[in-house]
Amino acid sequence: MQFVGFFVLFLLSFSVQAMSEGFRISADELAKISQQQRVVLVDARPAKFYEESHLPNAISIPFTSTFVEFGQTGRVITLDKAKTLFSQAGIRNDDLVVAYDAGGMLQASRILWTLEMYGHKNVKLLDGGMKSWQAAGFNLVQDKPVIQVSDYVPSINSNRLATRLTTLLASSKTDAFTLIDAREAEHYQGFKSEAKRFGHIPNAINIDFRNNIDANTGLLKPNSELKKLYAAIPTNKKVVVYCIMGDQSALEYLIMRELGYDVANYDASWQEWGNDESLPIVGPKMNE
């Protein structure tokens, strides 16, 4: 009997571990799992859209609240502010947190990356966001859940955050790092820029974040296709990914985490790098 009990516990722990290995969750899976366990469902859209309608039992944490100063810098909030933000949202350290947005998945990804960077162990992205929820036949509501303030304890996971210094190192030490630019190709090539300078960080490889999404369904591509997209990226090197302000790269971060890469997100991204004259870039005329 003791052996049987141990075996059952092993199977249960194995199934929970298997469920937590991926970062995406479908609308159907979310609906089922929400009936079986505690799930903190986070609406990452601006608050005004949450007020209009949202998924049942969702709480509002606008993705802009993860920025030190949204629009001015991509830098993530400090540990103290993260503690306040997630505690007031009622999140506990052992919660499963599922985040969603209107469907682009960038806003939700920024929330989830911030949680992971601050040590949260169990996060998932609603694949396709609200669009997929409604397409699956589920309703939206205006009712808001009662939030019980928690004592959330964040702890910085430096493996998930790339600083300017880390990124500078990654741009030159190509034997140990791979640097990925998740922006649209026009930005990488230097035809568009959200900063004073145009171009990209030296030795960065461009993997446009849009290439991760199926244009027909609005869902993330299956892992079999994503593995082909990232086939040239070695798994034995640390990956640093950046974009304009750390949201496009947050989506790519989650995908690469799901594919088994050791990856960090450069939160300040091009908003910092492209405006700092002391940092090297590859400009439009230097592109191959």
Side-chain angles (χ1 to χ4, degrees), residues 7-170:
F7 185 67
V8 171
L9 287 173
F10 171 77
L11 287 178
L12 287 173
S13 64
F14 178 79
S15 63
V16 170
Q17 182 181 9
M19 181 193 70
S20 66
E21 284 177 351
F23 284 92
R24 72 181 79 186
I25 186 170
S26 70
D28 288 332
E29 289 170 334
L30 175 59
K32 291 177 183 177
I33 200 172
S34 296
Q35 299 174 355
Q36 299 169 356
Q37 69 176 84
R38 173 180 162 88
V39 177
V40 177
L41 186 57
V42 174
D43 188 316
R45 299 173 301 157
K48 64 178 182 179
F49 297 115
Y50 172 83
E51 295 291 336
E52 293 173 0
S53 63
H54 49 264
L55 271 63
N57 295 315
I59 61 172
S60 176
I61 304 181
F63 81 107
T64 54
S65 63
T66 66
F67 293 81
V68 170
E69 189 175 2
F70 180 71
Q72 299 300 316
T73 175
R75 287 193 178 280
V76 69
I77 53 175
T78 62
L79 186 143
D80 287 345
K81 289 188 176 181
K83 177 177 175 60
T84 299
L85 177 65
F86 297 135
S87 293
Q88 290 181 347
I91 298 175
R92 303 191 301 229
N93 285 77
D94 59 350
D95 279 334
L96 166 61
V97 178
V98 178
Y100 72 89
D101 51 34
M105 294 179 280
L106 302 183
Q107 297 171 349
S109 294
R110 173 76 186 201
I111 291 284
L112 296 180
W113 166 74
T114 302
L115 278 163
E116 271 224 319
M117 193 277 294
Y118 276 123
H120 204 84
K121 303 296 184 184
N122 201 358
V123 301
K124 288 191 181 295
L125 174 70
L126 177 58
D127 197 0
M130 282 183 64
K131 290 180 180 178
S132 67
W133 180 261
Q134 292 178 283
F138 299 118
N139 295 327
L140 301 177
V141 300
Q142 289 183 316
D143 297 337
K144 301 175 185 177
V146 176
I147 296 176
Q148 292 185 342
V149 176
S150 66
D151 183 22
Y152 192 83
V153 182
S155 57
I156 297 175
N157 184 347
S158 57
N159 288 327
R160 303 299 168 217
L161 173 66
T163 64
R164 175 169 54 183
L165 181 60
T166 309
T167 307
L168 183 61
L169 184 64

Side-chain angles (χ1 to χ4, degrees), residues 193 195 268:
S193 181

Side-chain angles (χ1 to χ4, degrees), residues 97-288:
V97 178
V98 178
Y100 72 89
D101 51 34
M105 294 179 280
L106 302 183
Q107 297 171 349
S109 294
R110 173 76 186 201
I111 291 284
L112 296 180
W113 166 74
T114 302
L115 278 163
E116 271 224 319
M117 193 277 294
Y118 276 123
H120 204 84
K121 303 296 184 184
N122 201 358
V123 301
K124 288 191 181 295
L125 174 70
L126 177 58
D127 197 0
M130 282 183 64
K131 290 180 180 178
S132 67
W133 180 261
Q134 292 178 283
F138 299 118
N139 295 327
L140 301 177
V141 300
Q142 289 183 316
D143 297 337
K144 301 175 185 177
V146 176
I147 296 176
Q148 292 185 342
V149 176
S150 66
D151 183 22
Y152 192 83
V153 182
S155 57
I156 297 175
N157 184 347
S158 57
N159 288 327
R160 303 299 168 217
L161 173 66
T163 64
R164 175 169 54 183
L165 181 60
T166 309
T167 307
L168 183 61
L169 184 64
S171 70
S172 59
K173 196 171 176 57
T174 56
D175 59 329
F177 292 88
T178 300
L179 184 59
I180 295 178
D181 187 323
R183 296 176 299 165
E184 298 175 5
E186 297 86 350
H187 287 259
Y188 174 82
Q189 294 165 357
F191 298 116
K192 295 181 180 179
S193 181
E194 301 295 330
K196 291 188 299 184
R197 300 189 296 170
F198 292 70
H200 60 265
I201 301 174
N203 291 313
I205 300 168
N206 185 218
I207 300 181
D208 190 325
F209 77 95
R210 297 173 299 179
N211 292 335
N212 298 287
I213 301 171
D214 187 314
N216 295 318
T217 65
L219 301 174
L220 295 174
K221 292 178 179 178
N223 278 345
S224 57
E225 292 186 33
L226 292 173
K227 286 179 180 178
K228 295 177 183 177
L229 179 62
Y230 293 93
I233 308 301
T235 57
N236 63 342
K237 295 182 182 180
K238 178 76 176 186
V239 177
V240 171
V241 60
Y242 74 94
C243 61
I244 297 171
M245 62 177 186
D247 55 351
Q248 298 166 349
S249 53
L251 174 62
E252 211 142 280
Y253 160 91
L254 287 176
I255 289 168
M256 296 195 75
R257 289 271 288 123
E258 189 170 82
L259 294 176
Y261 289 91
D262 179 12
V263 55
N265 185 21
Y266 175 31
D267 57 339
S269 281
W270 192 251
Q271 279 191 337
E272 176 176 75
W273 198 280
N275 285 313
D276 189 336
E277 298 287 349
S278 70
L279 296 171
I281 67 166
V282 177
K285 294 181 180 180
M286 299 168 65
N287 287 336
E288 295 180 1

